[in-house]
Each structure stands twice: as C-alpha cells, then as structure tokens.
Amino acid sequence: MNPAVFERGAVRALMSLPGAVLDKLSAGLETHSRSHLDSRLRFLLALSGAKPTLDSGTVEQARRLYRDVINLLDVAPVPLPVVVDHQVPLDDGSQMRVRRYRPALAPRVAPAILFFHGGGFTVGGWMSTIACAATLPTVPMPWC
C-alpha cells in the first residue's frame, strides 16, 4: 500500500475519534500544551511534530513535504460563485492584488475574514492557499 494513502486513512480514522480522546492523545505527543485549541486542530499540530521541519532539507524537499501535509487534510474543493480580484493602491504607487471570496447565500452585509498569506512563496504560494481561503467563508463563525 502507498504510504501516503495509508497515512491519510489513518489520520482520517483518528480524526473521527471524540474530542476528549484526541485531547489525551495530543497531550502525550506535545512538547508544550495547546489545551486551549480545538481538539482536532490540537491533534493535527501534535502529529505534525513527528514530521521533518520545512527547513530540514532542500527547498524541493520542503515543497514536497508541504504538499504531502496539505494533502493529508483531504479537504474537498468548495465551489464559490463569487471570486473577485481587486487591485489595491499602495503608498509607493504600486498595487497589490486582493482576492475576495463570497458564499452564494451570504447577505449583502456579512462578517469578513482578512487572510494574509504569510510566506515568501518559497515552499507554498498563492495557489496553495486557495483551498484554505475558499473554505473560510463556509466555516461557521459563532463569534460573529
């Protein structure tokens, strides 16, 4: 069996466990407590500690590792009817592209999330953040 397929299946099975079980598993793997986090996110972060770090090899190895970790999440693409690119002027006269994602049934005035890609486009890039950014508008936000 392909190791990536096995790993994805194992992570998927583990993620279906109750939050209290994931918290106990996480506590055994963590180097410092993240008990304030959601149980599933905490567990994924604890598991990531067993992977090599992105700076432990070549740039190509880091890119491969990053893709493999993202693929573990196995997030289905979320089609959004409204994806609009805007050009925002900057103080120095240049412009920066900003992409707006909006779910189909969102009211005209709705909460917003401002997402900044934090990398230098060495390992990931704007294409690798599309799945995350496109999923955010569909995630329930109880604080809004």
Side-chain angles (χ1 to χ4, degrees):
M1 174 183 268
N2 179 334
V5 172
F6 177 78
E7 187 175 19
R8 189 176 313 125
V11 168
R12 183 178 288 161
L14 288 166
M15 294 300 283
S16 69
L17 293 171
V21 174
L22 291 176
D23 284 335
K24 287 188 187 290
L25 291 171
S26 299
L29 296 170
E30 292 171 331
T31 54
H32 62 280
S33 176
R34 294 185 176 111
S35 59
H36 60 287
L37 295 178
D38 170 80
S39 299
R40 282 157 182 63
L41 177 59
R42 181 182 180 192
F43 183 67
L44 286 173
L45 288 171
L47 284 179
S48 72
K51 293 259 184 210
T53 59
L54 293 177
D55 63 348
S56 64
T58 66
V59 171
E60 191 49 48
Q61 289 169 327
R63 289 178 179 153
R64 192 174 323 110
L65 175 62
Y66 181 79
R67 282 190 303 269
D68 290 348
V69 169
I70 294 300
N71 288 335
L72 272 179
L73 300 177
D74 208 19
V75 176
V78 176
L80 292 173
V82 179
V83 178
V84 180
D85 285 337
H86 302 275
Q87 293 295 324
V88 177
L90 302 177
D91 288 342
D92 66 359
S94 64
Q95 293 189 336
M96 175 175 60
R97 184 179 68 183
V98 175
R99 179 166 283 167
R100 179 171 45 103
Y101 298 89
R102 187 176 182 85
L105 302 176
R108 183 163 165 30
V109 176
I113 296 173
L114 185 59
F115 176 83
F116 290 95
H117 179 271
F121 298 105
T122 302
V123 176
W126 72 271
M127 288 298 292
S128 64
T129 61
I130 286 177
C132 175
T135 303
L136 286 175
T138 65
V139 173
M141 292 178 268
W143 57 86
C144 294

